Every structure is written in C-alpha cells, then in structure tokens.
Amino acid sequence: MNESTRKTAVVSNDELEKQRRFMHKVSAVITAGYSEKPKACVITYGCQQNVADSEKIKGMLELMGYDFTDNRLEAKLIIFNTCAVREHAEDRVFGNVGSLKSYKRENPDIIIALCGCMMQQKHIADKIKRSYPFVDLVFGTHVIHCLPELLYRALTGRKRIFEIPDMDGAIAEGVPVKRDNDKKAWLPIMYGCNNFCSYCIVPYVRGRERSREKADIINEFKELVSQGYKEITLLGQNVNSYGKDLIPQVSFSQLLRELNSLDGDFRIRFMTSHPKDCTKELIETMASCDKVAQHLHLPFQSGSNRVLKAMNRHYTREQYLELINYAKELMGDELSITSDIIVGFPGETYDEFRETLSLVEEVKATSLFTFIYSPRKGTPAAEMDDPVSSEEKSRWFKELTDLQEKISAQQMALHKGKTFKCYVYGKGRLADNYVAARNDGNLIIEFEGDESLIGTFQNIKVIEPLTFVMRGEIVKEKNYEY
Ligand code: 5AD
Ligand code: SF4
C-alpha cells in the first residue's frame, strides 16, 4: 500500500505491528494454565459489512489462540457485533446481552464485549455503561483492528473499557480474516458513507467514505480465487463511488473490469449501489463482463419524488426507471433486480405510498427487502412529523409484500424453459439424488445430479418453477465455459 497515493487516512504499519505484539501477549494470558484452547463466541447482527468485520475479529482471535463455539454458555469470550440501522436490531442486542447477566455472575472471569454500529452512538454506549455493568469491553467501528490491545487490557486490568473514538475512520490493511464459508467470500472494497439519507444512521456510525487501494483489493481477490472461492461479493455502502478518494481516482467500473479479467472460475457480485451514482457505464460494464453476476441490487426506497427529496436521495423515480430500463435493455432475461424499500417515512401519505406500489409494479424485481421506517436518534428524519400510526404503516407494509409476492411468483413462472449459469453449492432437498445451485440472481434451482458437481458452475435449464425453488435439468455435462 502506498500512503502517498490517497487522501484517506491509513492505519500505520507501526500500529498494526503493535497489535501483532498484543496478539502474542493475549495468547500467553489465555493459554496459561489451560490444556485446552479457550472458546470465543462471536454473534453478528445486521449487514454483510458487519459479517465481514466479524470475520476479521475471528481472524485476530484465531491468531490469539481462541477456538470458536456458537454456544455462548461455553465461551470464555462473547462478542456481540451490533447493528444500528433499525430499532428492532437494537432491541434484540439489549435482550440478548441482558440474558447473560447471571452467566457472568456465575463465571466472573469470562469477557463480554460489544462492538459495531450501535456502540458508535453515544446514548447507547452510555446506556451500556449505566445499565449493563457486567459488560467488560465496548469498542467502536473505527478500532476493530485494535482488538488485541483492548482484549489484553480487559483480560489483565480491573476497569471496564470503552474505546469509541469519534473520527472519520481509516483503512487498516493486513488484518487477518477467518471466513465463515469456504466458497463464498465477502470482500470490502470501501468503508463508510457520505450520503446522509435523512433516515439513516450509517454515515454517523461508519464515518466518511474511504476506498481501499485497487492493488490491495486485487491481491486479496486473487488469493481468494487461488484458495478456491467461487462467489466473491464486493462490499461497500455505496460501491458506485468507489475510488473517488484515491489519487489518481479509480472508477468502480474499472475495478470490475480488472477483476473480471483475472484467470479462474468465479463469479463477482457487488452491493450496495446507490441510484444517484449508478452510471450507464457501470451497467455496460456489468453487461460485458462475463464473470460479473447479472444482478443489480439498486435500492429505490420510495416511488414518490416528494418522499425521495425528503429522504435526501438525489434522484427521481424517472431517473431510477431510466437506469433500470437501460439495464433490462442490455442484460435482458439474464438480469435480476433487487431493491430496498422503506414504508411509512415521516409524512408519507397513502397516495405517496401508492406511488411506491406502482414503481414496484414497473420494476418487477426478483425480490425486495422491505422495511417499516424506524426513527434513528440524531438523524434529520427523526425530527420530522410522523402522523401515520404504526398500525396503518403495518397495513401498507402488508400491501407491499403481498404485491411483491405476486410479482416474484410471476417472475419465477417466466423462467420456465430458460437456461441459467448456476453455481452448484450443495445437496438438494427435492429428492435424495438432487443437488442445489444458484443463478446470478440468487434463485435456487435444484436438479438431478451427482454430488461431484458441487463446487462447479453448470448450465441449468428450468423445467418447473415451484414456490421457493425451481426444478431444472443440466444442459451439458461439463463445467460452464467463460
Ligand atoms: N428505517 C427503516 N429502514 C432503514 N434502512 C436504513 N435506515 C432505515 C431506517 N431508519 C433501510 C434502507 C437501506 C437498508 C439497508 O435499510 O432501505 O437501504
Ligand atoms: Fe444509509 Fe443512504 Fe448511506 Fe445507504 S446510502 S448507508 S441508506 S445514508
């Protein structure tokens, strides 16, 4: 990494070296007097970015000598990596942490730690300090790479530790990663968000947009391919603005094209795209790159231009549709669209909500991620008048999910007879001699086939769309040729 080629702050090699020294110190403390490795339990809430962060946490813990368990009641170290995007996720964290109170009383030497987006909010950290005295360590999103040092202090000191620096964030390269899956990998290409959509807490808790160097991404990508990873998802809150902070600038399309040209048998996915920064060039790049999944996750949030403005989204319904239609024109049947929608934004009327329904009808997404608006302290929307009752919002929500269910079924039915490039990921459920595969749009197609096909790409023709999966047949008995 060359620190002079970027505007964004980078964690220094000295700091990373210091953390490596703390790894050895932690290792000495946790293994002293024990014949078995102590177990750690890492519980992750929220988005893929958090999953990727937890994989780094586990990577560091593994090097420090921890083993892993899913059972928190047999762990010496319990870490909750939290999500702040909606209230529901926060409530679950408080409930689950609260339930450990007596476990900690009976086992005072275990360490309970909390990290992630929730902890980056002052009122939440204060609540933990006040009402959850059995939590030993709290650390924010910007200091994950400091876990060895923080853990050492928690293990050897008597004081509770709250390490939540308020900063724009920096890039830490070279942190070890222990991946949850040996075929599908998450690869963060950038961190943070500059968009400040009026309902969203992410820019406040994840700092400003900062891109990893292209060379670092390519090296990690090549390593993943050489390790046999088949589906690699590039992650960022807004991947379309990747590289704007690098000197010289690099565009996301450029990065995609370079990754696409690497040797190997793999599929590239990416998320999330923002319609205001999604360019026709990106759509053309997707269409022309054979290893890039023809899947566009492009959240529109609302179909009403007034609401979009109040959300601070910087595009109109018409501009959104122009992008979608261009993508459909270029990628045709191959293209799968998914999107995020918020129902019941403050001040949204039923008529405005119906504009969302009509956009849903026009877009014809494979599937949607739908949410009822959740006020987030500190965001502009939380200060707006919100006269519609939650019962009413729930009725609208049901109307939306019913509509999408109908559209998803229609979309599935249209797939009959089509052939998709699919990654065979495991055993099927329809019958003993079936295996299961996913197409670019993440739809599951099961077909009669030998388990030796697992881990390969195949052409599968859809015979019969069922409710959640499709039944298909293999078109040619050899690996997909790119
Ligand atoms: N309330 C409900 N949904 C939200 N999202 C983000 N913030 C909120 C909120 N305050 C949704 C958006 C975003 C997705 C990741 O979560 O749809 O695209
Ligand atoms: Fe939140 Fe908007 Fe940034 Fe997405 S683009 S993380 S919705 S502020």
Side-chain angles (χ1 to χ4, degrees), residues 85-86 199-200 299 301 340-342 371-376:
V85 116
R86 280 171 294 275
Y199 50 81
C200 187
Q301 314 294 0
D340 295 349
I341 296 178
I342 296 178
F371 311 102
I372 293 185
Y373 168 73
S374 171
R376 304 288 65 213

Side-chain angles (χ1 to χ4, degrees), residues 78 128 143 150 221 223 225 255 264 276 318 321 359 361 371 401 406 435 458 481:
I78 305 172
I128 299 287
V143 286
L150 297 171
F221 195 101
E223 205 180 301
V225 172
L255 175 69
K276 90 174 159 56
E318 292 73 25
L321 275 171
L359 187 52
E361 301 234 34
F371 311 102
T401 49
K406 211 175 70 193
V435 285
Q458 303 291 336
E481 279 168 6

